[in-house]
Amino acid sequence: MIYEKRIPLLRDHHTHPSLYASLSTSLDLRTVRDKGRALALIQAQEDPVVVVFGWNNSLYTFTEEELERLKPVLICNVSLHSFLMNAPAKARFAGAYPEIVAHIEDPDWVEKNLPEIFKFIVNIQPGSAARVTAFNAYLNRQGIWYAEEMLLPNAATIEYHYQLGHLDRTRFWADLKLYQALDAGTQKQVFGIKLFTDGALGPRTAAVQVPYPEGGQGILIYTLAELSAHIATVTNLGKPVAIHAIGDAAADQVVTALENVQRSEGALPPLVRMEHCQFISAATARKARSLGVVLSMQPNFNYDSVQYRDRLSPAYCARNNPFRILIDEVGFVPGKDLIFGSDGMPHGIKYALEMSLFPPEPNQKLSLDEFVAGYCVETLENGFIDIQIDETKRMVLSRVVLT
Ligand SMILES: [Zn+2]
């Protein structure tokens, strides 16, 4: 059966517009499934330092010899949590970024310093008001009206949005280090603080309770005491907090830390969001809900249950993004305390809606109403998306109209 519906434009609660705008002129390997072709494409680039993104290490890896034969190159894994930099690129950045050059291949260091790496990448191809305009136009074509910046790279980014009159179409989240370096006026423009508590599935650094089939339990960035102290700091700043936690062990740690802060400070930040929480258990989700936590999740990552079968056990594949459990059993309500975004993987309506309506795992399914409640702006005043849902082909066609 095919049916049609008009829905509002998207409110993408979690993405990285500055980073993606910076990468938008870079070589994208997401659709390049053959290593020989990837190497040829890199070699054909003309930038003094080639920045490549979208490399999927479940398809191929690069040998040191292959990398050293290339021009200066920084290769970003599709997860944006692991990176390769060849010797010519290291030589170029050793003076200005000695720490990053020394540790870029160390997964532990990378996870603990991800904000620094994102800011480094943005600064290789820095932003401008023109770049923001072009990128926002791209987001609009994907049906996105509003996009939250989950990792502010610098104060200039706020200035560009201000100049363009776009401050009401985003929210800026900054890591504590950047936030504390901003002047008081700029700090007011920052909506909240972003904390990371674990890594990602791509590099097997998401912190899990049951070890990965190949061994290891990922990386917890902080001890419980450290995380509790950071949340207490944000509580005292009076700012909202958004806490990245992909693995179940990370989600457990976040909720325990929140309980600690609630006890020690008598309060929590005015808004607490958990980002991703792909493997949160029902028990931890119940505690999170009773603490008033908002879960910020990405239907796009339903496909991790297929794409990462090589590194996740069947049990973890089945547990990924358990929306039905969170909504039906734990009581989260889309649009209220369960909100959706893309993380830019990819941006836009088509893939997100296909993954929601026709997911790989039954517990991942969302109804169209739930999708709209958690993922769309409230009105049609700036435009709409006409969608056509083909249940037989499990496909969505869409037409974005801006008014
Ligand atoms: Zn993100």
Side-chain angles (χ1 to χ4, degrees):
M1 194 184 109
I2 296 179
Y3 63 100
E4 293 178 354
K5 186 113 194 215
R6 177 166 292 180
I7 64 170
L9 297 168
L10 298 180
R11 180 183 178 99
D12 190 335
H13 290 91
H14 182 127
T15 184
H16 299 271
S18 303
L19 182 65
Y20 287 116
S22 160
L23 292 175
S24 63
T25 48
S26 299
L27 174 60
D28 177 359
L29 291 183
R30 276 176 300 182
T31 56
V32 179
R33 305 185 70 82
D34 170 70
K35 177 162 72 169
R37 200 169 121 68
L39 288 167
L41 285 169
I42 293 170
Q43 203 56 355
Q45 298 295 302
E46 278 167 14
D47 306 307
V49 179
V50 181
V51 180
V52 180
F53 75 105
W55 164 50
N56 184 339
N57 68 343
S58 70
L59 298 177
Y60 48 82
T61 53
F62 299 99
T63 66
E64 200 160 327
E65 214 197 330
E66 286 163 340
L67 286 178
E68 298 323 320
R69 261 188 275 139
L70 296 169
K71 52 180 64 169
V73 63
L74 171 71
I75 302 177
C76 308
N77 182 269
V78 66
S79 67
L80 288 172
H81 282 252
S82 77
F83 307 88
L84 296 172
M85 196 192 285
N86 69 355
K90 284 180 181 168
R92 194 171 274 262
F93 293 123
Y97 299 97
E99 289 275 287
I100 288 179
V101 165
H103 303 293
I104 191 80
E105 274 113 37
D106 171 358
D108 208 71
W109 188 89
V110 165
E111 292 306 344
K112 291 181 177 159
N113 294 274
L114 207 57
E116 297 312 305
I117 296 172
F118 281 15
K119 288 181 269 182
F120 161 70
I121 295 171
V122 172
N123 286 322
I124 297 177
Q125 296 164 91
S128 63
R131 210 183 256 271
V132 173
T133 305
F135 196 71
N136 280 354
Y138 160 78
L139 290 179
N140 289 166
R141 290 195 295 278
Q142 313 307 311
I144 299 170
W145 178 254
Y146 175 106
E148 294 191 30
E149 169 60 78
M150 294 313 294
L151 200 58
L152 182 70
N154 47 44
T157 300
I158 300 179
E159 181 58 30
Y160 304 142
H161 283 78
Y162 172 74
Q163 284 168 20
L164 295 166
H166 278 184
L167 284 180
D168 59 346
R169 291 171 59 176
T170 188
R171 263 178 187 170
F172 301 108
W173 297 83
D175 67 296
L176 266 173
K177 191 172 166 190
L178 179 74
Y179 179 80
Q180 281 159 344
L182 297 173
D183 62 59
T186 312
Q187 285 180 338
K188 284 208 184 75
Q189 306 276 4
V190 172
F191 179 78
I193 304 300
K194 175 80 181 284
L195 296 175
F196 287 84
T197 65
D198 71 343
L201 295 173
R204 299 180 178 83
T205 48
V208 287
Q209 296 289 9
V210 182
Y212 290 98
E214 286 186 12
Q217 287 179 268
I219 293 173
L220 280 175
I221 292 177
Y222 301 116
T223 64
L224 179 60
E226 287 167 342
L227 179 60
S228 307
H230 284 310
I231 296 171
T233 301
V234 182
T235 306
N236 294 323
L237 291 174
K239 287 282 185 187
V241 68
I243 310 174
H244 166 117
I246 292 180
D248 51 351
D252 293 349
Q253 191 198 41
V254 169
V255 168
T256 308
L258 290 169
E259 288 170 337
N260 287 350
V261 174
Q262 175 84 272
R263 220 174 299 120
S264 67
E265 309 294 308
L268 288 174
L271 166 66
V272 179
R273 277 180 27 177
M274 284 174 71
E275 306 298 317
H276 314 305
C277 32
Q278 283 174 250
F279 300 96
I280 191 168
S281 68
T284 297
R286 267 186 202 100
K287 288 186 200 165
R289 185 167 170 265
S290 68
L291 288 163
V293 172
V294 171
L295 305 184
S296 165
M297 301 178 71
Q298 295 73 35
N300 292 357
F301 294 154
N302 291 351
Y303 196 70
D304 287 355
S305 299
V306 178
Q307 133 157 305
Y308 289 139
R309 264 181 205 150
D310 63 337
R311 66 202 64 186
L312 291 174
S313 66
Y316 269 90
C317 285
R319 283 180 50 192
N320 175 32
N321 272 357
F323 294 127
R324 291 284 31 112
I325 293 170
L326 295 174
I327 296 169
D328 301 335
E329 293 176 26
V330 184
F332 280 94
V333 178
K336 180 172 167 265
D337 51 12
L338 176 61
I339 57 177
F340 304 125
S342 70
D343 215 2
M345 298 182 178
H347 286 115
I349 179 69
K350 181 180 164 64
Y351 189 70
L353 190 53
E354 283 179 351
M355 276 297 132
S356 301
L357 299 175
F358 311 116
E361 294 290 335
N363 266 325
Q364 296 168 338
K365 193 172 169 70
L366 294 170
S367 69
L368 181 60
D369 286 345
E370 288 167 339
F371 179 91
V372 169
Y375 211 148
C376 290
V377 299
E378 268 137 43
T379 70
L380 303 184
E381 85 185 275
N382 298 301
F384 52 82
I385 310 172
D386 281 335
I387 51 171
Q388 204 182 68
I389 298 167
D390 185 331
E391 295 207 303
T392 322
K393 290 190 185 146
R394 297 166 68 85
M395 252 180 59
V396 172
L397 293 177
S398 62
R399 188 174 69 99
V400 176
V401 178
L402 295 175
T403 52

